[in-house]
Amino acid sequence: MNARLPAHVEVSGLIRAVEGSGGFGMVLQKGEKDAGTLLVLTTQSGRNTRLWERMPQLDGSRAFVCTRTQDNENTRELDEYVTKRRRSDPDCWVIELDIENAERFVAGASG
């Protein structure tokens, strides 16, 4: 059994790491304090927005995977997807990280 970091601690750590590197992090929706799912939106100055979610891996771990990329022609599509996910899982956290190469902060995080 793997010990899981409480969601609020992981969220705080991601935001602090981004801000410590000169970026900006923000909680868009608070979720369940200990076991909430994390949805991470990454962006660079409002461009190249991506959504990262944890997905089960073959080895049993759960790694962040980019599941959606914002379409510049239809910017509402990503917002609508996040809204739908929030409705289906009100315990989930939604955070945004705005920094160059933001994927380096989430790609290595596992849970």
Side-chain angles (χ1 to χ4, degrees):
M1 182 167 143
N2 291 339
R4 181 178 171 194
L5 200 59
H8 73 283
V9 173
E10 186 172 10
V11 166
S12 179
L14 283 168
I15 290 173
R16 285 178 187 227
V18 167
E19 291 178 347
S21 295
F24 177 75
M26 161 196 257
V27 175
L28 301 176
Q29 174 182 308
K30 283 187 177 183
E32 205 284 319
K33 184 177 179 179
D34 293 320
T37 302
L38 268 65
L39 301 179
V40 181
L41 290 163
T42 59
T43 188
Q44 182 178 348
S45 301
R47 295 184 315 275
N48 195 26
T49 304
R50 297 179 185 172
L51 176 66
W52 299 79
E53 301 180 72
R54 279 213 176 90
M55 296 293 177
Q57 304 300 301
L58 293 175
D59 65 1
S61 66
R62 295 178 55 81
F64 277 108
V65 175
C66 180
T67 58
R68 299 255 194 250
T69 301
Q70 187 172 45
D71 179 2
N72 292 331
E73 300 297 317
N74 185 3
T75 58
R76 296 195 47 83
E77 186 177 306
L78 183 61
D79 292 336
E80 289 168 359
Y81 177 78
V82 171
T83 299
K84 182 179 173 182
R85 287 283 282 120
R86 288 171 60 179
R87 263 190 247 131
S88 69
D89 182 4
D91 291 335
C92 77
W93 289 77
V94 181
I95 65 172
E96 182 175 315
L97 306 176
D98 190 338
I99 190 169
E100 186 174 348
N101 299 319
E103 59 274 358
R104 71 184 187 263
F105 293 95
V106 292
S110 61

